[in-house]
Amino acid sequence: MGKSACNTSPQQPESTCFILRALFFLLCCRHACCQCKILRCNADYVAATLNLRGSGKDAAYCNALRSYSHCTRKTARTCRGDLVYHSAVHGIEDLMIQHNCSKEGPTSPPRPRPPAPNHQGFASLDICNYEKSFLYKHGQPPAYQHCAAFGDPHVRTFHDEFHTCRVEGSWPLLDNNYLFVQATSYPVAKSSNATATGKLTIIFKNMKECIDQKVYQAEIDNLPAAFEDGSVNGGERPGGSSLTIQERAPGQHVEIRAAYIGTTIAVRQAGRQLSFSIRAAEEVARSFTEEQDLQLCVGGCPPSQRISRSECRYGGIAAETARLLCKEKLPVEDVYFQSCVFDVVTSGDANFTLAAHGALEDAKMFHPDAEKLHIFQTGAGCRLISLPFLLIIITSNLLAIQLCF
């Protein structure tokens, strides 16, 4: 009892005892250093004095110095051998003298501490909310892209290219790791290359704990407000509510929100055609392989399937009349206006004005850059001379010939 725990003996030489004592001393010093909170005191003082302005800044400065002094006193025992601590103590005394601060008085309110780190990380977040999980991983909100197919059909790609296509039959608008969208088109007139979409199939692919695979299918005069299985969400999985479907206008406009992939889709019917618009997270839109290269939303229509909108064929409504009808809905003469005139002239159906107008309204909601909303293509408008106007020109020429003779 009372003897050192490190007694020398033939089995325990004095050098070994010295090493043990040294190790014990180092451990004690390390523990004391780790407990010294002077750096926290320094940080609190800097934060309290960083933005002092106005007439009350002198009093606020004294409050901050008193708080600083109080903080150093609380950590004095554990910081006894710390040079930074001793420098801070002497610095506080000098500053209080310079600014005529009394040692007793009010102090600054404590600085709010940051929330404790989330050791569970991403697993604790709602992984079926794409925007939140992207922000967590990248520190910024995701970028978005917009694509649309309407009317003839006309396709606006994710890269803001604009094509008018014949594409009769079934063609994929999207085919990536999360979505498959297919449009099926039919001819709008026997003597024309123009077509219109009569059927849309949208497949939301199975995704972990978020959703079961869901299929939405729309046809002319059948725009359901539910998926094929009759459900209106993503199923029984924990994130099933991250896929929803809503009817905006009965039989005319349905909106599908897929929050788990940061995507919103609008499906519309105007006259005898269906239109499709999408706002997709850029990461989702680009999630496809080399084998999935045929996507109208990505690459536009193949060159062999493109039609010039300047080559209008008369289908029952004159070009001048079509322009007036389209101007009522589309005052800016951009590609939406040009597409409207082309469709009305070619089909003879004034309801196509609604298709172009609806596509523009979706673009206003879905396109991430308002400055790129309108696309202008010179020389792409319908150049057809209407039949009545052509007859007037012919009659005038005949009269001129007769007068000459």
Side-chain angles (χ1 to χ4, degrees):
M1 286 291 289
K3 292 182 180 181
S4 169
C6 191
N7 293 324
T8 57
S9 66
Q11 292 78 22
Q12 190 177 36
E14 190 173 351
S15 61
T16 303
C17 188
F18 174 80
I19 292 171
L20 289 172
R21 287 195 185 100
L23 287 172
F24 178 77
F25 177 77
L26 289 173
L27 287 172
C28 290
C29 289
R30 181 176 180 273
H31 178 73
C33 291
C34 291
Q35 294 300 315
C36 182
K37 306 295 184 183
I38 188 61
L39 294 180
R40 179 180 292 177
C41 296
N42 293 348
D44 288 348
Y45 167 71
V46 170
T49 58
L50 192 60
N51 296 308
L52 292 181
R53 294 184 181 85
S55 58
K57 68 177 181 179
D58 292 336
Y61 194 79
C62 288
N63 293 348
L65 284 173
R66 281 189 287 268
S67 295
Y68 196 6
S69 177
H70 180 66
C71 184
T72 58
R73 287 198 301 273
K74 285 199 301 182
T75 193
R77 186 174 61 84
T78 56
C79 291
R80 191 170 299 158
D82 193 289
L83 291 176
V84 175
Y85 165 77
H86 288 288
S87 297
V89 170
H90 292 297
I92 293 168
E93 291 175 358
D94 291 340
L95 288 170
M96 292 188 80
I97 293 170
Q98 290 175 25
H99 291 84
N100 296 319
C101 299
S102 61
K103 292 184 178 180
E104 301 298 328
T107 57
S108 297
R111 185 163 63 108
R113 301 293 175 202
N118 183 357
H119 297 292
Q120 291 181 327
F122 177 69
S124 68
L125 293 177
D126 183 359
I127 63 171
C128 297
N129 186 314
Y130 180 84
E131 289 191 356
K132 284 185 179 179
S133 60
F134 188 95
L135 184 63
Y136 174 83
K137 288 189 288 184
H138 302 283
Q140 61 184 12
Y144 291 95
Q145 294 182 328
H146 168 59
C147 169
F150 66 96
D152 181 60
H154 312 281
V155 175
R156 178 173 187 156
T157 73
F158 285 136
H159 311 295
D160 294 320
E161 296 176 346
F162 198 91
H163 300 150
T164 296
C165 321
R166 58 170 58 90
V167 291
E168 185 176 349
S170 297
W171 291 75
L173 294 172
L174 281 173
D175 183 11
N176 60 42
N177 296 340
Y178 303 96
L179 283 168
F180 177 79
V181 182
Q182 179 176 275
T184 303
S185 301
Y186 66 96
V188 296
K190 291 181 180 180
S191 60
S192 172
N193 288 328
T195 58
T197 300
K199 182 179 179 179
L200 278 168
T201 303
I202 305 171
I203 300 175
F204 297 87
K205 298 179 182 180
N206 182 359
M207 186 178 171
K208 297 179 182 177
E209 52 274 287
C210 292
I211 67 153
D212 303 320
Q213 178 170 293
K214 293 290 178 178
V215 179
Y216 179 79
Q217 191 161 285
E219 297 184 64
I220 291 175
D221 296 331
N222 182 21
L223 204 66
F227 296 107
E228 244 187 3
D229 60 3
S231 64
V232 293
N233 58 35
E236 299 299 323
R237 299 189 185 188
S241 61
S242 64
L243 176 63
T244 58
I245 183 168
Q246 287 185 311
E247 189 174 51
R248 296 296 185 188
Q252 296 178 7
H253 184 191
V254 166
E255 188 173 276
I256 306 172
R257 290 184 178 271
Y260 69 99
I261 52 173
T263 296
T264 304
I265 292 173
V267 178
R268 296 175 184 262
Q269 177 173 341
R272 306 299 298 168
Q273 70 87 43
L274 299 177
S275 63
F276 166 87
S277 293
I278 185 171
R279 177 183 184 257
E282 190 174 275
E283 186 180 46
V284 171
R286 293 179 176 179
S287 64
F288 56 87
T289 63
E290 292 181 2
E291 290 76 22
Q292 298 167 303
D293 59 339
L294 181 57
Q295 301 179 63
L296 301 191
C297 274
V298 176
C301 301
S304 63
Q305 297 294 317
R306 297 176 191 174
I307 314 173
S308 171
R309 289 189 300 280
S310 62
E311 299 173 3
C312 298
R313 293 192 179 184
Y314 181 69
I317 295 180
E320 287 76 9
T321 303
R323 288 180 62 84
L324 291 173
L325 290 171
C326 292
K327 198 71 173 178
E328 291 178 8
K329 299 283 186 182
L330 304 158
V332 179
E333 296 192 15
D334 58 0
V335 290
Y336 293 97
F337 175 82
Q338 293 172 352
S339 300
C340 176
V341 175
F342 178 88
D343 291 346
V344 172
V345 169
T346 304
S347 67
D349 184 358
N351 285 316
F352 273 88
T353 59
L354 301 175
H357 179 257
L360 181 59
E361 291 301 303
D362 288 338
K364 289 177 182 178
M365 294 293 294
F366 291 168
H367 201 286
D369 188 349
E371 293 184 0
K372 295 182 179 179
L373 174 64
H374 296 287
I375 300 174
F376 298 94
Q377 293 178 347
T378 57
C382 189
R383 296 175 182 172
L384 179 69
I385 298 176
S386 66
L387 187 59
F389 187 65
L390 185 62
L391 289 173
I392 290 171
I393 292 174
I394 294 171
T395 304
S396 299
N397 288 337
L398 288 173
L399 286 172
I401 292 169
Q402 288 177 356
L403 287 173
C404 289
F405 291 96

